[in-house]
Amino acid sequence: GAGVTKILDIEALLARAFPREATVRKSSGGVAKPIATAAADIVVRRRLITFDVAGQEYALSLDAVREIVLAPDSLAYVPGSDEAVRGVMAYRDGLLPLLSLRVLLGLGGHAPQHSGKIIVTVVAGTVVGLIADNARSILSVDPRLIEPAPKVLSARAGGEARIQEIYRAGHGRLISILVAETLFREDVMQKLAQTTAQAAAGGAVADGTTAELRFLVFRLDGNEFALPIDAVDEVARVPEQITRLPKTPKFLEGVVNLRGTVLPVVDQRRRFDMPPSDGGAARRLVVVTSGAHRAGLIVDSVTEVLRCGADAIRPAPELMTGEALALVGSVINLEASGRMLLLLDPAELLSRAERGLLDSFSKTAAGKDTRQSRP
C-alpha cells in the first residue's frame, strides 16, 4: 500500500550532463569505435555584442568593437556638424567623435547622456564612438539562426535600411544586427574625418597600429576584475534555475542548461571568500573556456569591454598568496584614470579539484559505455 519510489541512475545522469567530446558507437563485432566528425558538421559560431537603442535590441559583431566605455559627463560640441554628431570626448591620447545611434537609426531623440554607453568602433579608418542607451551582453550564436533582413526593410530609407541581418534568439526575441560601415552617409564620413583631424590638431585618434589587448571588465563586491576577451564565449543573465551537485567545492554553484548545453557554474564571490550577493538584476553569467572545459562565472555586473596596451599589464602584488596568486596573475594599471583591475588567468578559472571533478564525470561515462559495448 506504500507509494512508489523512483531510483535515479546517477551515472547515466552525469553521462548526459557531461558528454564526452567523441561520440562512441558499436561496430558489428561489438567493439566501441569513435564516430568521425564530418567537417560539414562543425559550426563556426559568431560572437555578437548587443545593446539597447530606444527600447530595441541591436548588435554588432564583437570583432568590430574595440571597446565599450561609459558616456562622459561633458562633451565638446562641434558647431555646424551633422545632427547625428553629438560632439567629441577625450579618448586615450586624442579625441573621439561621438554619434547618436538613435539618430543614425532614425529613432529620434537622444539617450540620457550620463547613463549611456559608448561603443568604440572603426569606420573607414576613422575611430568613432556610437552612443547606445545601454550595453546588454556578449552572445556566441549559431549562424544558422541568423537571416538576412527582409527586403521590405532594406528598401526603406529610414533606420531599417541599416539593419543587415536578424538573429532569432528564441522565445520571440529578435536582435537586429548592424554593420558599422552602413550607418553613415558618405558626406557624413567626410565631415567626420575632417572634424577629427582638425580637433586633434595632428593628434587624431589613430586606427591603432600598436599591439593592444581587449578585456571584459566585471565587478565583484565593488572590485574590478578583467578577463581576456578571447577567453569569453558569451555573457548572459544568470538563469533562475541552477541544479546543485552534492559533494562539490562550495564555490561550485551547480550546473545550468544554457541553450541545450550543460555548464558548471562557479560563484566568483565564494571563490574569493566575499560576502554573498543580494542577487540583484545586474548579475551576469560570464561563459568562459578554460582548457578543455567551459564554465559559467557568476559576477555582480559586467561594465565594459576595455582596450589597453600590453605595457599596462603588471605582475600581481606580492601580498597575494596561494590560490589567489594563481588566479590573479597580473593587474591592469590604468594610470590616467587611477584604476587598477585584477586580471584573471583563464587557465586557472577552474581549480584543479573542479577540473578533476569534470574529468571524472567523463571517465565514468566512458567506462560505462565500454562495459555496455562488450558482448
Side-chain angles (χ1 to χ4, degrees):
V4 176
T5 300
K6 298 180 180 179
I7 303 176
L8 299 179
D9 185 342
I10 300 300
E11 289 188 351
L13 289 174
L14 294 179
R16 286 197 295 269
F18 302 94
R20 291 178 300 154
E21 295 182 1
T23 306
V24 176
R25 67 180 177 189
K26 295 181 182 178
S27 67
S28 57
V31 179
K33 293 184 177 180
I35 297 176
T37 301
D41 295 335
I42 300 175
V43 177
V44 179
R45 301 179 71 85
R46 288 177 56 179
R47 292 206 290 174
L48 306 174
I49 188 160
T50 68
F51 46 88
D52 292 328
V53 181
Q56 301 182 45
E57 190 173 8
Y58 294 88
L60 282 169
S61 171
L62 182 61
D63 293 337
V65 178
R66 300 186 72 182
E67 63 182 314
I68 298 177
V69 298
L70 293 173
D73 292 334
S74 61
L75 300 176
Y77 176 69
V78 179
S81 60
D82 185 272
E83 180 187 4
V85 180
R86 301 298 297 152
V88 294
M89 63 174 277
Y91 178 73
R92 302 192 178 278
D93 296 328
L95 298 175
L96 180 71
L98 301 180
L99 297 101
S100 168
L101 277 171
R102 288 196 177 211
V103 175
L104 291 173
L105 295 172
L107 300 176
H110 296 290
Q113 178 175 311
H114 302 300
S115 62
K117 293 291 181 70
I118 308 299
I119 301 170
V120 183
T121 185
V122 179
V123 180
T126 302
V127 180
V128 300
L130 304 177
I131 304 176
D133 297 1
N134 189 34
R136 293 194 63 168
S137 58
I138 297 175
L139 301 178
S140 176
V141 305
D142 187 336
R144 293 172 294 189
L145 299 178
I146 297 177
E147 300 179 359
K151 293 182 179 180
V152 66
L153 294 182
S154 302
R156 297 194 59 183
E160 297 90 342
R162 315 301 186 193
I163 300 174
Q164 297 294 301
E165 300 170 303
I166 295 178
Y167 168 54
R168 295 181 284 110
H171 304 289
R173 179 185 174 194
L174 299 177
I175 302 175
S176 301
I177 303 176
L178 308 174
V179 176
E181 285 79 1
T182 65
L183 292 174
F184 308 96
R185 302 191 313 268
E186 183 68 24
D187 58 330
V188 173
M189 287 305 303
Q190 292 178 357
K191 289 182 180 179
L192 192 58
Q194 294 172 1
T195 300
T196 305
Q198 294 171 359
V205 180
D207 186 7
T209 56
T210 58
E212 289 185 310
L213 308 172
R214 290 192 301 169
F215 302 92
L216 182 77
V217 180
F218 59 89
R219 286 185 173 274
L220 285 171
D221 197 28
N223 301 300
E224 287 190 301
F225 295 82
L227 271 170
I229 198 70
D230 290 338
V232 179
D233 286 346
E234 62 180 290
V235 177
R237 294 184 181 276
V238 177
E240 295 182 0
Q241 195 74 18
I242 298 179
T243 303
R244 299 187 180 276
L245 298 175
K247 297 183 179 179
T248 55
K250 65 177 182 179
F251 44 76
L252 188 62
E253 190 75 7
V255 294
V256 297
N257 188 320
L258 186 64
R259 289 188 297 280
T261 301
V262 177
L263 290 175
V265 175
V266 176
D267 188 331
Q268 285 299 106
R269 274 183 171 257
R270 293 183 182 178
R271 164 65 59 80
F272 291 112
D273 292 325
M274 295 176 176
S277 169
D278 57 3
R283 291 203 311 165
R284 290 293 182 268
L285 184 72
V286 180
V287 181
V288 298
T289 298
S290 176
H293 305 107
R294 294 176 75 233
L297 311 180
I298 298 180
V299 301
D300 293 353
S301 64
V302 172
T303 57
E304 61 182 303
V305 176
L306 173 71
R307 184 173 60 89
C308 71
D311 56 349
I313 310 299
R314 308 291 172 80
E318 296 181 358
L319 294 177
M320 292 185 178
T321 58
E323 184 180 355
L325 180 60
L327 191 58
V328 184
S330 307
V331 297
I332 302 176
N333 186 21
L334 304 177
E335 296 182 1
S337 58
R339 298 166 63 194
M340 182 171 291
L341 292 73
L342 300 178
L343 178 57
L344 301 184
D345 184 352
E348 299 293 336
L349 287 174
L350 291 177
S351 69
R352 183 177 301 175
E354 291 166 319
R355 290 195 296 267
L357 183 64
L358 297 182
D359 289 338
S360 67
F361 289 161
S362 298
K363 291 179 180 178
T364 299
K368 184 173 182 179
D369 285 346
T370 302
R371 292 194 300 271
Q372 291 178 346
S373 67
R374 293 173 181 172

